[in-house]
């Protein structure tokens, strides 16, 4: 037992120094989670889970009130000071904050006094706030009514984007989530901000995939100054495009960001020189033709196979045979032992979009139907999204 305790403490010290490679870090979290599950009495573990929504509710409410930013800005702050700054009842703030101090999201150095820890600081940042807002505001009503919805629909796998758990939970007209959000700036903004943060701390593919060796240094596929090097298909606010451009700035070629009009025409969106912003609807419009690389992250997982094939057609029809690659970044679910995060992400897809994450077999089926050859599946370090390199079939 002493040895075990010692091993756990050494791992904790290593983790605190931030010296663990990504794959090992995730494996250790999974092992530690299993240990906690085994140490907990089963009924206590389940009790904790059933009360868990209160944590997310408290976080969402305090975020709306700007409490995390206030704690970070002011250092130690009392509930009375927070009440004055937010116009919320002092006792209500104390009750909400009690949950988050117990859960470790906020420090509590004294009675009714709060201070920031690393989690509080993260909650005060724009991308993390976007994540909490989008997942809470876009998903929780659907989750709350999903068991009832599934019972009513005879436990069929939801697959209709405009008429599924989201529309049932929100009691909305029959439009998909993206159409629903288009005239709701606050929700739209939360989601676009969330897309910027949706990798969490997981490394970007440009840092772990051999982009240069595998894609950019191929002398048989030259890219000149006027050619298009990289098209981000539905790239949101261009965060992935900018990461790529910054990392490989020595390579010539143009960059194009495609997304819906209200996303790319947003006046606050500035991407600097060398990036063209193009509005499009991927069900109707083709992307810019003849690019060396087309990149699509978290797009296919939003849609059914049928709709994905329409989107893919609008890309494959302008790809150059033997030259263009379509890079898909999405989860590649393993056949067994799926990590918890992608498994839960799959449920978010069901709740919000009647869509799903895919296994390698499902990817092969879909991409083959789209006329694409799979050059390789590349699993990520840890539990993040993988990369699928494709090209037009010969
Ligand atoms: C899950 S987000 C992914 C964004 C980005 N690729 C990323 O991973 O951060 C889906 C993107 O698809 C865009 N989108 C949704 N429906 C679309 C449509 N019909 N045509 C073009 N883009 C669309 C959204 O605006 C959003 O930016």
């Amino acid at each position: 037992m002493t040895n075990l305790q010692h091993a756990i403490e050494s791992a904790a010290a290593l983790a605190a120094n931030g010296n663990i490679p990504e794959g090992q870090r995730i494996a250790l979290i999974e092992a530690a989670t299993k240990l906690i599950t085994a140490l907990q009495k089963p009924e206590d573990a389940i009790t904790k889970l059933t009360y868990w929504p209160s944590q997310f509710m408290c976080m969402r409410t305090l975020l709306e009130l700007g409490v995390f930013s206030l704690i970070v800005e002011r250092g130690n702050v009392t509930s009375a000071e927070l009440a004055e700054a937010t116009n919320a009842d002092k006792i209500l703030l104390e009750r909400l904050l009690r949950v988050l101090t117990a859960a470790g999201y906020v420090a509590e150095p004294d009675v009714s006094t709060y201070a920031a820890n690393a989690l509080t600081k993260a909650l005060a940042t724009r991308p993390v706030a976007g994540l909490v807002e989008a997942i809470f505001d876009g998903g929780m009503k659907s989750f709350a009514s999903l068991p009832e919805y599934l019972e009513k629909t005879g436990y069929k796998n939801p697959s209709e984007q405009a008429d599924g758990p989201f529309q049932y939970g929100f009691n909305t007209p029959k439009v998909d989530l993206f159409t629903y959000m288009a005239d709701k700036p606050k929700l739209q903004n939360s989601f676009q901000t969330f897309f910027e943060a949706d990798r969490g701390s997981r490394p970007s593919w440009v840092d772990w995939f051999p982009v240069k060796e595998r894609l950019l240094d191929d002398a048989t596929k030259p890219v000149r100054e006027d050619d298009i090097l990289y098209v981000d298909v539905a790239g949101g606010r261009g965060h992935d495009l900018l990461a790529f451009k910054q990392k490989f700035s020595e390579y010539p070629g143009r960059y194009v960001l495609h997304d819906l009009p209200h996303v790319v025409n947003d006046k606050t969106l500035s991407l600097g020189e060398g990036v063209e912003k193009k509005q499009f609807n991927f069900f109707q419009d083709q992307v810019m033709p003849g690019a060396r690389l087309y990149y699509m992250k978290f797009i296919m997982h939003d849609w059914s196979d049928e709709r994905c094939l329409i989107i893919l057609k609008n890309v494959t029809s302008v790809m150059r045979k033997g030259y263009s690659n379509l890079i898909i970044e999405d989860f590649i679910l393993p056949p067994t032992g799926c990590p918890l995060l992608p498994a839960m992400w799959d449920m978010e897809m069901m709740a919000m979009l009647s869509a799903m994450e895919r296994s390698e077999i499902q990817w092969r089926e879909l991409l083959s139907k789209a006329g694409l050859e799979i050059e390789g599946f590349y699993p990520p370090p840890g539990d993040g999204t993988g990369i699928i390199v494709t090209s037009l079939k010969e």
Side-chain angles (χ1 to χ4, degrees):
M1 188 54 85
T2 333
N3 280 352
L4 176 62
Q5 216 169 329
H6 185 67
I8 294 171
E9 278 162 16
S10 310
L14 210 65
N17 289 337
N19 280 338
I20 307 180
E22 184 63 7
Q24 280 173 30
R25 190 179 72 82
I26 300 299
L28 273 175
I29 291 176
E30 306 247 319
T33 308
K34 279 188 191 139
L35 176 66
I36 290 169
T37 308
L39 287 173
Q40 274 180 338
K41 300 255 166 62
E43 52 276 42
D44 292 346
I46 296 164
T47 303
K48 216 185 246 175
L49 174 76
T50 55
Y51 284 87
W52 170 89
S54 61
Q55 286 185 43
F56 200 16
M57 179 282 291
C58 292
M59 187 180 281
R60 177 68 189 93
T61 308
L62 291 167
L63 189 65
E64 192 65 25
L65 287 168
V67 164
F68 303 116
S69 300
L70 282 166
I71 296 175
V72 170
E73 278 160 26
R74 296 192 185 183
N76 276 15
V77 57
T78 64
S79 53
E81 288 163 341
L82 287 173
E84 200 189 328
T86 60
N87 275 331
D89 280 355
K90 175 172 160 300
I91 184 169
L92 175 68
L93 289 170
E94 287 172 356
R95 292 177 67 196
L96 296 168
L97 277 161
R98 185 186 295 139
V99 174
L100 293 193
T101 55
Y105 290 92
V106 177
E108 188 184 29
D110 209 336
V111 180
S112 303
T113 306
Y114 309 96
N117 61 25
L119 286 164
T120 326
K121 287 178 191 158
L123 282 162
T125 64
R126 192 181 69 87
V128 175
L131 160 74
V132 173
E133 285 172 24
I135 295 295
F136 194 98
D137 299 358
M140 290 301 277
K141 278 191 193 163
S142 312
F143 271 135
S145 55
L146 243 165
E148 182 184 298
Y149 171 84
L150 292 173
E151 187 191 359
K152 282 210 159 126
T153 53
Y155 296 98
K156 299 276 176 296
N157 191 40
S159 61
E160 182 42 67
Q161 264 100 357
D163 189 10
F166 176 78
Q167 293 74 13
Y168 186 80
F170 281 73
N171 197 16
T172 65
K174 303 213 179 315
V175 291
D176 69 68
L177 172 66
F178 292 106
T179 312
Y180 173 83
M181 284 196 297
D183 63 352
K184 296 178 181 59
K186 188 165 189 260
L187 190 62
Q188 171 69 29
N189 186 44
S190 302
F191 266 88
Q192 284 301 337
T193 310
F194 154 56
F195 299 150
E196 289 175 51
D198 61 12
R199 211 195 300 268
S201 70
R202 286 163 187 79
S204 162
W205 78 294
V206 299
D207 293 324
W208 62 263
F209 184 88
V211 176
K212 285 189 182 183
E213 300 78 356
R214 183 69 189 71
L215 300 169
L216 293 175
D217 290 340
D218 187 341
T220 65
K221 298 169 183 174
V223 178
R224 283 170 288 269
E225 211 55 58
D226 287 344
D227 298 332
I228 301 173
L229 173 63
Y230 177 107
V231 175
D232 199 334
V233 183
R237 294 175 61 84
H239 39 281
D240 292 308
L241 179 150
L242 289 180
F244 188 97
K245 186 166 181 281
Q246 203 170 7
K247 177 108 186 179
F248 305 111
S249 54
E250 73 272 29
Y251 288 85
R254 293 151 56 202
Y255 283 76
V256 179
L257 172 71
H258 278 287
D259 210 297
L260 287 167
H262 61 266
V263 180
V264 288
N265 297 335
D266 180 345
K267 286 192 187 68
T268 65
L269 181 63
S270 132
L271 298 170
E273 258 180 46
V275 183
E276 296 156 55
K277 297 187 270 181
K278 301 270 177 205
Q279 63 180 57
F280 89 141
N281 178 339
F282 51 39
F283 295 118
Q284 291 159 14
D285 308 316
Q286 292 177 330
V287 289
M288 290 286 277
R292 171 72 188 91
L293 299 174
Y294 293 92
Y295 172 78
M296 223 189 234
K297 175 169 138 256
F298 279 146
I299 303 303
M300 301 282 93
H301 83 159
D302 288 344
W303 304 98
S304 63
D305 278 10
E306 202 186 9
R307 303 273 247 153
C308 283
L309 287 172
I310 303 173
I311 299 171
L312 287 169
K313 181 97 188 110
N314 283 323
V315 180
T316 54
S317 55
V318 297
M319 283 169 71
R320 270 172 56 194
K321 207 172 260 186
Y323 178 77
S324 308
N325 281 118
L326 167 62
I327 313 295
I328 295 176
E329 178 165 2
D330 243 312
F331 288 112
I332 306 164
L333 301 181
T336 58
C338 183
L340 183 57
L341 181 78
M344 291 195 297
W345 211 301
D346 184 42
M347 293 299 105
E348 296 288 345
M349 292 300 105
M350 180 194 288
M352 295 191 206
L353 286 153
S354 303
M356 64 193 289
E357 306 298 344
R358 292 179 173 86
S359 65
E360 188 174 317
I361 294 176
Q362 289 164 328
W363 279 117
R364 282 188 190 285
E365 217 171 284
L366 172 68
L367 298 175
S368 173
K369 274 191 206 153
L372 287 162
E373 184 87 52
I374 294 167
E375 294 188 7
F377 281 100
Y378 299 84
D383 59 354
T385 42
I387 291 288
I388 311 172
V389 178
T390 72
S391 53
L392 287 182
K393 276 186 192 162
E394 282 306 321

